[in-house]
Amino acid sequence: MQNMLSPDLDPHRLARTLAGRHLIDGALVPAASGRTFPVVNPATREQVSEAAFGEAADVGAAVAAAVEAQKGWARLPARERGKLVAECGRRLTDHVEELGRLVALETGKALRTESRVEASVLADAFVFYGGLAGELKGETVPFNPDMLTMTLREPIGVVGAIIPWNVPMMLMALKIAPAMVAGNAVVVKSAEEAPLAVLRACQIMAQVLPPGVLNILSGFGPECGAPLVTHPKVGKITFTGSVETGKIVYKAAAEKLIPVTLELGGKSPMIVMGDADIGRAVGGAVAGMRFTRQGQSCTAASRIFVHSSIHDDFVARLKAKVDAMVMGDPLDERTDIGTIISDGQFEKVKSYIRIGEQLPGAKANTCSAMPADPKLARGLFVQPVIFTGIGNDSRLARAEIFGPVTCIIKFDEFDKVISEANDSEYGLAATIWTRDLRTALDATRRLEAGFVQVNQNLVVQPNLSYGGVKQSGLGKEASLEAMLEHFTHKKTVIINMQ
Ligand code: ADP
């Protein structure tokens, strides 16, 4: 085991230190081609570092290291692996501040409201999964009294994990922690917009893990993600990203007949009944819409159905609350709302706002104030917009915008609102706000979503299965079930004792 890394609280310096590197076989190495691509701070649009440009050769090296390392890793007693993974979590805990600052720098997510929180969740996920190692149990099966029949949970081998930029550390953790505990080795492909904090997190974990068990590559989808999916030695792909790319990944994996977990988009409904605690529901809308993450969340409560009896009051209170949020430098402790991740996403969000403004009857309630600091003048800031006066069939209510844009849709009848909530190609999350138990229970049964909450809007939690239905994806994450179902094979063994 190497010496412990000390946290570096200067994210600019740390970003430069990590420049142009993958982590392969326990070492930080440049791309085989030597190529790099820029890493940009979206709050200033200045380049802060560069990342290694991963291609098939890098994928080949990382997978070869993983194949080799996996053999010994899988032979360790399960709880030994669990202890090492939990130790990764403890080391990451010492780096929460550092990782929070680094992810704030590269993604534009505010440190206090988002980035620091994400870094703690990252650490916690490894501690959580490390403790589940003893649960990798098989079963005995009543088959023939003269034959001992049982199942064994075995690792798949090498897992490819493809992650997005919106919560890169947390989403990486929910994939690689269970994969490693189950005895797999992993090759992660980070998102091109956010390669640094995840690389740093893997570097910290590489001090604890045997070389090659955890590898991470940076690069773009077609050049680096695609060869990872198609590599013959990768036995499982776990992916979080857009529906479009998810389908490409699924098709490529089908050619190899390997299992895939897909966490894709959402257009999550939040239903506020007339009897709801309106203050709590307004708070829930702010949290659920992830305004502090600029709405860049697949579970964002981006369709808020509000009963007509409280509609105007709800809108006024929500607007006041979002207006009070401070947009600014993501690294400033006073900031609630940072920036959009990239020029492309910025243009996309702006174009949806323009579409909304032109919808007949729609009103765009623009909230909060643009930052005054001239250093941030070129930053990718978008003022949150709460649209009212639109229907569930409008483009704004159907498309996943992935920005700080929500629609408030008025309703009168419960049955009708449930069918409107379900009238979406997505089915990731949903919430219902009411004081009536019967209404709450009825809604939880009828809402078509993988994650349904009553009177709250929490994010993904370790121990609770998370994953969508319909176009929102396949498979679950974050739970024991996710580890067993998605990162192991079940082998049936019969021992004839006659
Ligand atoms: P977004 O549009 O939000 O960036 P994507 O679904 O395109 O979402 O990206 C999610 C992840 O998938 C990123 O790491 C990206 O590089 C990767 N990716 C993109 N295209 C492919 C592909 N063809 N094969 C594998 N991975 C890909």
Side-chain angles (χ1 to χ4, degrees):
M1 222 175 270
Q2 303 155 33
N3 291 333
M4 273 178 72
L5 286 172
S6 316
D8 185 344
L9 298 186
D10 177 348
H12 288 274
R13 183 175 52 212
L14 184 54
R16 289 191 297 270
T17 312
L18 296 166
R21 292 288 181 272
H22 301 306
L23 181 98
I24 300 177
D25 210 9
L28 288 180
V29 294
S33 65
R35 288 175 71 191
T36 60
F37 60 95
V39 181
V40 173
N41 171 2
T44 59
R45 313 263 284 290
E46 283 163 6
Q47 181 172 339
V48 289
S49 186
E50 53 193 5
F53 190 101
E55 291 174 280
D58 306 285
V59 170
V63 174
V67 167
E68 212 33 54
Q70 195 266 337
K71 297 174 197 154
W73 181 242
R75 274 199 300 271
L76 283 182
R79 287 206 56 230
E80 287 305 315
R81 287 197 304 269
K83 282 179 192 165
L84 290 172
V85 170
E87 178 58 19
C88 288
R90 278 185 283 276
R91 297 275 179 109
L92 291 167
T93 306
D94 295 337
H95 289 259
V96 163
E97 185 61 28
E98 167 199 271
L99 290 166
R101 289 181 185 202
L102 189 57
V103 86
L105 181 70
E106 64 182 339
T107 64
K109 293 193 302 175
L111 178 61
R112 177 177 53 80
T113 55
E114 284 288 333
S115 293
R116 193 180 281 130
V117 183
E118 187 194 346
S120 339
V121 176
L122 163 86
D124 184 44
F126 290 93
V127 174
F128 166 71
Y129 270 114
L132 291 185
E135 297 301 320
L136 289 156
K137 296 168 185 163
E139 300 137 338
T140 54
V141 183
F143 173 51
N144 180 322
D146 294 321
M147 298 176 192
L148 175 61
T149 305
M150 60 189 174
T151 60
L152 303 176
R153 289 279 180 188
E154 298 200 334
I156 293 168
V158 175
V159 170
I162 299 177
I163 57 172
W165 47 261
N166 63 330
V167 228
M169 296 189 291
M170 181 190 88
L171 295 173
M172 177 177 78
L174 295 182
K175 297 179 184 317
I176 70 176
M180 293 192 301
V181 170
N184 303 285
V186 182
V187 178
V188 181
K189 206 292 278 173
S190 59
E192 46 273 41
E193 299 86 350
L196 298 179
V198 286
L199 173 63
R200 177 65 168 175
C202 291
Q203 185 194 21
I204 293 161
M205 291 188 272
Q207 297 188 294
V208 176
L209 300 167
V213 167
L214 173 58
N215 309 275
I216 182 165
L217 306 172
S218 45
F220 292 77
E223 293 87 352
C224 189
L228 180 60
V229 178
T230 53
H231 194 291
K233 295 274 170 57
V234 171
K236 153 96 197 184
I237 291 289
T238 169
F239 170 90
T240 299
S242 62
V243 176
E244 207 182 14
T245 307
K247 287 181 181 171
I248 294 172
V249 166
Y250 198 24
K251 282 184 194 143
E255 280 298 317
K256 287 166 53 185
L257 279 181
I258 59 166
V260 176
T261 306
L262 300 172
E263 297 295 344
L264 308 177
K267 191 76 188 176
S268 299
M270 164 171 178
I271 301 173
V272 188
M273 302 299 293
D275 70 341
D277 177 330
I278 189 162
R280 277 181 66 188
V282 166
V286 174
M289 189 41 222
R290 316 267 187 270
F291 281 115
T292 52
R293 200 188 297 157
Q294 299 73 253
Q296 301 171 133
S297 161
C298 17
T299 49
S302 46
R303 290 185 298 148
I304 309 183
F305 296 90
V306 181
H307 192 267
S308 59
S309 61
I310 56 166
H311 175 273
D312 295 354
D313 190 13
F314 184 93
V315 173
R317 290 209 215 181
L318 180 60
K319 172 150 177 28
K321 224 173 167 105
V322 184
D323 265 337
M325 296 172 84
V326 176
M327 291 174 74
D329 181 351
L331 286 162
D332 186 331
E333 293 290 336
R334 287 166 301 186
T335 299
D336 296 305
I337 300 179
T339 72
I340 299 292
I341 184 81
S342 63
D343 288 355
Q345 283 297 122
F346 181 82
E347 289 309 325
K348 182 180 152 199
V349 172
K350 286 286 201 186
S351 82
Y352 274 113
I353 295 173
R354 282 194 295 274
I355 290 170
E357 283 167 344
Q358 281 153 22
L359 289 173
K363 180 170 178 221
N365 299 276
T366 304
C367 305
S368 191
M370 290 291 275
D373 185 345
K375 285 204 301 291
L376 306 176
R378 294 185 59 240
L380 301 173
F381 293 91
V382 174
Q383 285 171 280
V385 186
I386 301 165
F387 276 99
T388 51
I390 64 165
N392 190 49
D393 50 0
S394 80
R395 234 180 114 187
L396 227 52
R398 306 213 78 85
E400 185 181 40
I401 299 173
F402 231 68
V405 181
T406 194
C407 317
I408 304 212
I409 304 169
K410 215 186 252 190
F411 77 91
D412 284 303
E413 287 166 40
F414 178 68
D415 284 338
K416 192 153 171 258
V417 77
I418 294 285
S419 69
E420 287 204 326
N422 288 338
D423 181 15
S424 164
E425 64 188 64
Y426 297 111
L428 192 53
T431 63
I432 170 105
W433 299 72
T434 176
R435 290 186 165 99
D436 184 64
L437 188 56
R438 183 185 292 266
T439 307
L441 279 176
D442 195 15
T444 57
R445 289 207 191 92
R446 289 166 65 186
L447 284 166
E448 295 167 0
F451 193 43
V452 180
Q453 299 178 68
V454 178
N455 294 334
Q456 65 174 16
N457 224 329
L458 295 180
V459 294
V460 179
Q461 305 286 319
N463 207 24
L464 306 185
S465 275
Y466 172 80
V469 296
K470 302 198 277 190
Q471 297 286 294
S472 292
L474 290 175
K476 298 291 179 190
E477 293 197 313
S479 59
L480 172 62
E481 170 203 351
M483 176 170 80
L484 298 177
E485 298 295 317
H486 301 303
F487 294 111
T488 70
H489 285 301
K490 209 176 197 186
K491 181 186 274 177
T492 299
V493 176
I494 308 176
I495 302 172
N496 189 333
M497 296 172 299
Q498 279 179 320

